[in-house]
Amino acid sequence: MKREFNKRFEEFLTTLPSEELYFEALRDIIKDVIKEYIRKQITESPSLKEALADALKEFIESRIKEYDSMAKMAKVTASIGLSATPTSIKNEALNDFLSVFEKEIGEIIKKLF
């Protein structure tokens, strides 16, 4: 009987969630409380709301400029490489170059939108 009880008790204990789950849940609750407090502060202050909107707008613009600059650098690099390439392999090199950057450009566009 004692063995049966111990076995059942051990099975019961294994079904309980670990303390990590409780800590993670507590962290999520604290994050939600902090988010709620920040939202309240922003909502109550029109100047904070406007400053946040301006900062976000500038951030997005800078990211777009960064990607535009990267695209321009890739174009210049490709032009330099193609001008130094013999005409016999220029078309093959151009196709290889485009296939390499096609994926990267797609990833950049996905990040923007």
Side-chain angles (χ1 to χ4, degrees), residues 54-88:
D54 289 343
L56 186 58
K57 180 182 173 187
E58 287 179 22
F59 176 76
I60 291 171
E61 286 174 359
S62 68
R63 294 297 281 198
I64 290 171
K65 287 179 183 179
E66 177 186 0
Y67 290 129
D68 183 46
S69 296
M70 289 171 55
K72 287 177 182 177
M73 287 175 60
K75 181 180 175 184
V76 169
T77 303
S79 297
I80 292 169
L82 287 175
S83 67
T85 304
T87 51
S88 61

Short mmCIF file of all heavy atoms in Angstrom, two decimals, residues 54-88:
data_model
loop_
_atom_site.label_atom_id
_atom_site.label_comp_id
_atom_site.label_asym_id
_atom_site.label_seq_id
_atom_site.Cartn_x
_atom_site.Cartn_y
_atom_site.Cartn_z
N ASP A 54 7.44 60.77 -34.24
CA ASP A 54 8.55 61.35 -35.01
C ASP A 54 9.78 60.43 -35.00
O ASP A 54 10.42 60.23 -36.03
CB ASP A 54 8.94 62.72 -34.44
CG ASP A 54 7.90 63.78 -34.74
OD1 ASP A 54 7.05 63.57 -35.64
OD2 ASP A 54 7.92 64.84 -34.06
N ALA A 55 10.10 59.89 -33.83
CA ALA A 55 11.25 58.99 -33.73
C ALA A 55 11.05 57.74 -34.59
O ALA A 55 11.98 57.29 -35.27
CB ALA A 55 11.49 58.60 -32.27
N LEU A 56 9.86 57.20 -34.57
CA LEU A 56 9.56 56.01 -35.37
C LEU A 56 9.65 56.32 -36.87
O LEU A 56 10.21 55.54 -37.64
CB LEU A 56 8.17 55.47 -35.02
CG LEU A 56 7.76 54.16 -35.66
CD1 LEU A 56 8.75 53.06 -35.31
CD2 LEU A 56 6.37 53.78 -35.23
N LYS A 57 9.15 57.49 -37.25
CA LYS A 57 9.23 57.90 -38.65
C LYS A 57 10.69 58.04 -39.09
O LYS A 57 11.07 57.54 -40.16
CB LYS A 57 8.50 59.23 -38.84
CG LYS A 57 8.50 59.76 -40.25
CD LYS A 57 7.79 61.10 -40.33
CE LYS A 57 7.95 61.69 -41.70
NZ LYS A 57 7.44 63.06 -41.77
N GLU A 58 11.51 58.69 -38.27
CA GLU A 58 12.93 58.85 -38.60
C GLU A 58 13.64 57.50 -38.65
O GLU A 58 14.50 57.29 -39.51
CB GLU A 58 13.60 59.76 -37.57
CG GLU A 58 13.23 61.21 -37.70
CD GLU A 58 13.89 62.08 -36.65
OE1 GLU A 58 14.93 61.67 -36.08
OE2 GLU A 58 13.37 63.18 -36.38
N PHE A 59 13.28 56.60 -37.76
CA PHE A 59 13.89 55.27 -37.74
C PHE A 59 13.58 54.53 -39.04
O PHE A 59 14.48 53.95 -39.66
CB PHE A 59 13.38 54.47 -36.54
CG PHE A 59 13.89 53.07 -36.50
CD1 PHE A 59 15.19 52.79 -36.11
CD2 PHE A 59 13.07 52.01 -36.87
CE1 PHE A 59 15.66 51.49 -36.08
CE2 PHE A 59 13.53 50.71 -36.84
CZ PHE A 59 14.84 50.45 -36.45
N ILE A 60 12.33 54.56 -39.46
CA ILE A 60 11.93 53.86 -40.68
C ILE A 60 12.63 54.49 -41.89
O ILE A 60 13.13 53.77 -42.77
CB ILE A 60 10.40 53.87 -40.84
CG1 ILE A 60 9.78 52.96 -39.77
CG2 ILE A 60 9.98 53.41 -42.23
CD1 ILE A 60 8.27 53.05 -39.68
N GLU A 61 12.67 55.81 -41.93
CA GLU A 61 13.35 56.49 -43.04
C GLU A 61 14.83 56.11 -43.09
O GLU A 61 15.38 55.88 -44.17
CB GLU A 61 13.21 58.01 -42.90
CG GLU A 61 11.83 58.52 -43.23
CD GLU A 61 11.67 60.01 -42.95
OE1 GLU A 61 12.62 60.66 -42.48
OE2 GLU A 61 10.57 60.53 -43.22
N SER A 62 15.48 56.05 -41.93
CA SER A 62 16.91 55.70 -41.92
C SER A 62 17.14 54.27 -42.37
O SER A 62 18.12 53.99 -43.06
CB SER A 62 17.51 55.93 -40.53
OG SER A 62 17.00 55.01 -39.60
N ARG A 63 16.24 53.37 -42.00
CA ARG A 63 16.38 51.98 -42.46
C ARG A 63 16.22 51.89 -43.98
O ARG A 63 16.96 51.16 -44.65
CB ARG A 63 15.35 51.07 -41.78
CG ARG A 63 15.54 50.93 -40.29
CD ARG A 63 16.85 50.27 -39.96
NE ARG A 63 16.73 48.86 -40.16
CZ ARG A 63 17.53 47.95 -39.67
NH1 ARG A 63 18.53 48.32 -38.92
NH2 ARG A 63 17.36 46.69 -39.91
N ILE A 64 15.27 52.63 -44.52
CA ILE A 64 15.07 52.61 -45.96
C ILE A 64 16.29 53.19 -46.67
O ILE A 64 16.76 52.65 -47.68
CB ILE A 64 13.78 53.39 -46.34
CG1 ILE A 64 12.56 52.58 -45.88
CG2 ILE A 64 13.71 53.65 -47.84
CD1 ILE A 64 11.24 53.32 -45.99
N LYS A 65 16.85 54.29 -46.12
CA LYS A 65 18.06 54.87 -46.71
C LYS A 65 19.22 53.90 -46.64
O LYS A 65 20.03 53.81 -47.57
CB LYS A 65 18.42 56.18 -45.99
CG LYS A 65 17.50 57.32 -46.34
CD LYS A 65 17.89 58.58 -45.59
CE LYS A 65 16.92 59.71 -45.89
NZ LYS A 65 17.28 60.93 -45.14
N GLU A 66 19.32 53.15 -45.52
CA GLU A 66 20.39 52.16 -45.39
C GLU A 66 20.28 51.10 -46.48
O GLU A 66 21.28 50.77 -47.13
CB GLU A 66 20.31 51.51 -44.01
CG GLU A 66 21.32 50.41 -43.79
CD GLU A 66 21.12 49.68 -42.47
OE1 GLU A 66 20.20 50.00 -41.71
OE2 GLU A 66 21.91 48.75 -42.22
N TYR A 67 19.08 50.57 -46.69
CA TYR A 67 18.90 49.55 -47.71
C TYR A 67 19.12 50.12 -49.11
O TYR A 67 19.66 49.44 -49.99
CB TYR A 67 17.52 48.90 -47.60
CG TYR A 67 17.38 48.03 -46.38
CD1 TYR A 67 16.32 48.18 -45.50
CD2 TYR A 67 18.33 47.05 -46.08
CE1 TYR A 67 16.19 47.38 -44.37
CE2 TYR A 67 18.22 46.25 -44.96
CZ TYR A 67 17.15 46.42 -44.12
OH TYR A 67 17.03 45.63 -43.00
N ASP A 68 18.73 51.38 -49.32
CA ASP A 68 18.96 52.02 -50.61
C ASP A 68 20.46 52.16 -50.86
O ASP A 68 20.93 51.89 -51.96
CB ASP A 68 18.27 53.39 -50.63
CG ASP A 68 18.41 54.08 -51.98
OD1 ASP A 68 18.20 53.42 -53.01
OD2 ASP A 68 18.76 55.28 -51.98
N SER A 69 21.20 52.57 -49.83
CA SER A 69 22.66 52.70 -49.97
C SER A 69 23.31 51.35 -50.25
O SER A 69 24.23 51.26 -51.07
CB SER A 69 23.26 53.29 -48.69
OG SER A 69 22.79 54.60 -48.49
N MET A 70 22.83 50.31 -49.59
CA MET A 70 23.38 48.97 -49.83
C MET A 70 23.12 48.54 -51.27
O MET A 70 24.00 47.95 -51.92
CB MET A 70 22.76 47.96 -48.85
CG MET A 70 23.25 48.14 -47.43
SD MET A 70 22.36 47.13 -46.21
CE MET A 70 22.53 45.49 -46.85
N ALA A 71 21.95 48.85 -51.77
CA ALA A 71 21.62 48.50 -53.16
C ALA A 71 22.51 49.27 -54.13
O ALA A 71 23.00 48.70 -55.12
CB ALA A 71 20.15 48.77 -53.43
N LYS A 72 22.74 50.55 -53.85
CA LYS A 72 23.61 51.35 -54.71
C LYS A 72 25.04 50.82 -54.69
O LYS A 72 25.71 50.77 -55.73
CB LYS A 72 23.57 52.81 -54.29
CG LYS A 72 22.29 53.51 -54.65
CD LYS A 72 22.26 54.94 -54.16
CE LYS A 72 20.94 55.60 -54.49
NZ LYS A 72 20.87 56.97 -53.96
N MET A 73 25.52 50.43 -53.50
CA MET A 73 26.87 49.88 -53.40
C MET A 73 26.99 48.58 -54.17
O MET A 73 27.99 48.32 -54.84
CB MET A 73 27.25 49.66 -51.92
CG MET A 73 27.52 50.95 -51.18
SD MET A 73 27.81 50.73 -49.42
CE MET A 73 29.24 49.69 -49.41
N ALA A 74 25.95 47.76 -54.10
CA ALA A 74 25.96 46.49 -54.85
C ALA A 74 25.99 46.76 -56.35
O ALA A 74 26.69 46.08 -57.10
CB ALA A 74 24.74 45.66 -54.48
N LYS A 75 25.25 47.81 -56.77
CA LYS A 75 25.23 48.15 -58.19
C LYS A 75 26.61 48.62 -58.66
O LYS A 75 27.09 48.20 -59.72
CB LYS A 75 24.19 49.24 -58.43
CG LYS A 75 24.06 49.65 -59.87
CD LYS A 75 23.01 50.74 -60.03
CE LYS A 75 22.98 51.24 -61.45
NZ LYS A 75 22.04 52.36 -61.61
N VAL A 76 27.25 49.46 -57.87
CA VAL A 76 28.58 49.96 -58.23
C VAL A 76 29.58 48.81 -58.26
O VAL A 76 30.39 48.69 -59.18
CB VAL A 76 29.03 51.07 -57.25
CG1 VAL A 76 30.50 51.40 -57.44
CG2 VAL A 76 28.18 52.31 -57.42
N THR A 77 29.51 47.93 -57.25
CA THR A 77 30.41 46.78 -57.20
C THR A 77 30.22 45.89 -58.43
O THR A 77 31.19 45.42 -59.02
CB THR A 77 30.17 45.97 -55.91
OG1 THR A 77 30.34 46.83 -54.79
CG2 THR A 77 31.11 44.80 -55.79
N ALA A 78 28.96 45.68 -58.78
CA ALA A 78 28.68 44.86 -59.97
C ALA A 78 29.21 45.53 -61.22
O ALA A 78 29.79 44.86 -62.09
CB ALA A 78 27.18 44.62 -60.08
N SER A 79 29.04 46.82 -61.32
CA SER A 79 29.54 47.55 -62.50
C SER A 79 31.05 47.44 -62.61
O SER A 79 31.59 47.22 -63.70
CB SER A 79 29.14 49.02 -62.43
OG SER A 79 27.75 49.15 -62.46
N ILE A 80 31.75 47.59 -61.48
CA ILE A 80 33.21 47.47 -61.48
C ILE A 80 33.62 46.06 -61.90
O ILE A 80 34.50 45.88 -62.74
CB ILE A 80 33.78 47.82 -60.10
CG1 ILE A 80 33.59 49.32 -59.81
CG2 ILE A 80 35.26 47.44 -60.00
CD1 ILE A 80 33.89 49.70 -58.37
N GLY A 81 32.95 45.07 -61.32
CA GLY A 81 33.27 43.69 -61.65
C GLY A 81 33.02 43.37 -63.11
O GLY A 81 33.82 42.70 -63.77
N LEU A 82 31.89 43.86 -63.64
CA LEU A 82 31.56 43.59 -65.04
C LEU A 82 32.49 44.33 -66.00
O LEU A 82 32.81 43.82 -67.08
CB LEU A 82 30.11 43.96 -65.32
CG LEU A 82 29.07 43.00 -64.74
CD1 LEU A 82 27.67 43.53 -64.97
CD2 LEU A 82 29.22 41.61 -65.34
N SER A 83 32.92 45.52 -65.63
CA SER A 83 33.83 46.25 -66.52
C SER A 83 35.19 45.58 -66.60
O SER A 83 35.90 45.70 -67.60
CB SER A 83 33.98 47.71 -66.07
OG SER A 83 34.66 47.78 -64.83
N ALA A 84 35.57 44.86 -65.54
CA ALA A 84 36.86 44.18 -65.53
C ALA A 84 36.79 42.76 -66.09
O ALA A 84 37.80 42.10 -66.26
CB ALA A 84 37.40 44.12 -64.10
N THR A 85 35.58 42.32 -66.40
CA THR A 85 35.39 40.95 -66.88
C THR A 85 35.52 40.89 -68.40
O THR A 85 34.99 41.74 -69.11
CB THR A 85 33.97 40.46 -66.48
OG1 THR A 85 33.82 40.59 -65.08
CG2 THR A 85 33.74 39.02 -66.86
N PRO A 86 36.21 39.87 -68.90
CA PRO A 86 36.29 39.70 -70.37
C PRO A 86 34.90 39.47 -70.94
O PRO A 86 34.04 38.84 -70.31
CB PRO A 86 37.16 38.45 -70.54
CG PRO A 86 37.85 38.26 -69.25
CD PRO A 86 37.00 38.89 -68.20
N THR A 87 34.67 39.98 -72.11
CA THR A 87 33.34 39.87 -72.73
C THR A 87 32.89 38.43 -72.95
O THR A 87 31.69 38.16 -72.97
CB THR A 87 33.30 40.62 -74.07
OG1 THR A 87 34.41 40.20 -74.87
CG2 THR A 87 33.34 42.11 -73.87
N SER A 88 33.83 37.53 -73.06
CA SER A 88 33.45 36.13 -73.31
C SER A 88 32.69 35.52 -72.13
O SER A 88 31.86 34.64 -72.32
CB SER A 88 34.70 35.29 -73.61
OG SER A 88 35.59 35.33 -72.51
#
